[in-house]
Amino acid sequence: EIVLTQSPGTLSLSPGERATLSCRASQSVSSSYLAWYQQKPGQAPRLLIYGASSRATGIPDRFSGSGSGTDFTLTISRLEPEDFAVYYCQQYGSSPNTFGQGTKLEIK
Amino acid sequence: QVQLVQSGAEVKKPGSSVKVSCKASGGTFSSYAISWVRQAPGQGLEWMGRIIPILGIANYAQKFQGRVTITADKSTSTAYMELSSLRSEDTAVYYCARTSGGGYNYWGQGTLVTVSS
């Protein structure tokens, strides 16, 4: 089973700032089958990034993903008020399709 | 547009079973995997297993092997997740989700299962 470790656990930033979230895998993620999700309280997760760097339909271009192998990054270039939420990475290249433990992005 | 609509909240006794449904509309039901993910209160996302309806083959996370059964009815475009031998730690929101080739694009609204004596 691939274990995903996200850092930091909590990130405190202000609107307009840049956010960098990390996801490290215990072994290489095949074909960069790595996704990022955003989740707000009381809502289902929303797909932001798939294939490590492809934005899902309707996702603003301030969200970008990068990385390969075992190290992946989600970057939000300029934070908007609606971006404060919990973010999860997930690998879907092998079974089980594991999730990271999440990074909470909070307003400073 | 694909929509996944799940069955309503459940309250169950320890040791019993629960079966949650996930009805899909729009798109092609049989060709894409339906996965089940749960989230305990205040916790992260946990993958339970998935099924590819056209194949009828399911695979499960080791943690749930022997306790979970995922099935799909192609005639009604509905997937099911049954979890048995419930304990308090199974109290969670259960989501179904569907991939369209990259990540889980579509999610159900979630079903709260509460296990309490």
Side-chain angles (χ1 to χ4, degrees):
Chain A
E1 168 174 328
I2 297 178
V3 176
L4 299 178
T5 303
Q6 293 186 239
S7 60
T10 302
L11 186 57
S12 299
L13 294 170
S14 301
E17 291 193 292
R18 180 185 186 90
T20 302
L21 287 66
S22 174
C23 176
R24 178 161 289 179
S26 60
Q27 54 190 282
S28 185
V29 176
S30 63
S31 303
S32 294
Y33 287 155
L34 192 286
W36 290 93
Y37 300 86
Q38 177 193 70
Q39 189 180 33
K40 297 180 179 178
Q43 296 183 16
R46 177 174 73 143
L47 178 67
L48 301 174
I49 301 288
Y50 65 94
S53 60
S54 297
R55 269 188 302 276
T57 303
I59 301 304
D61 60 7
R62 64 180 182 274
F63 291 91
S64 64
S66 63
S68 63
T70 60
D71 287 293
F72 299 88
T73 301
L74 174 70
T75 301
I76 311 171
S77 58
R78 284 181 57 86
L79 286 166
E80 297 287 343
E82 62 267 26
D83 298 336
F84 292 91
V86 179
Y87 292 82
Y88 295 94
C89 59
Q90 180 209 26
Q91 67 79 23
Y92 53 96
S94 63
S95 185
N97 293 175
T98 45
F99 290 90
Q101 83 280 17
T103 289
K104 181 179 182 180
L105 178 56
E106 64 176 24
I107 299 177
K108 188 173 183 180
Chain B
Q1 177 71 348
V2 175
Q3 272 199 308
L4 302 176
V5 178
Q6 298 181 223
S7 49
E10 303 260 13
V11 179
K12 293 293 183 179
K13 299 283 189 195
S16 67
S17 298
V18 68
K19 191 170 186 177
V20 181
S21 67
C22 170
K23 183 170 176 60
S25 61
T28 305
F29 175 72
S30 294
S31 302
Y32 297 98
I34 297 281
S35 296
W36 288 89
V37 176
R38 78 176 186 180
Q39 187 169 39
Q43 302 301 308
L45 303 171
E46 183 173 34
W47 189 84
M48 300 179 69
R50 70 172 185 178
I51 189 166
I52 302 175
I54 197 170
L55 299 177
I57 297 172
N59 64 300
Y60 307 112
Q62 181 93 7
K63 175 177 178 177
F64 300 101
Q65 285 277 1
R67 273 211 308 145
V68 68
T69 303
I70 296 173
T71 56
D73 182 342
K74 296 190 293 292
S75 68
T76 59
S77 299
T78 303
Y80 300 89
M81 186 284 300
E82 184 169 23
L83 187 62
S84 62
S85 302
L86 290 170
R87 35 209 188 228
S88 58
E89 310 89 89
D90 294 317
T91 293
V93 175
Y94 289 76
Y95 294 101
C96 61
R98 202 203 87 166
T99 182
S100 284
Y104 297 177
N105 311 58
Y106 306 104
W107 292 72
Q109 82 276 19
T111 296
L112 175 62
V113 175
T114 303
V115 182
S116 173
S117 54

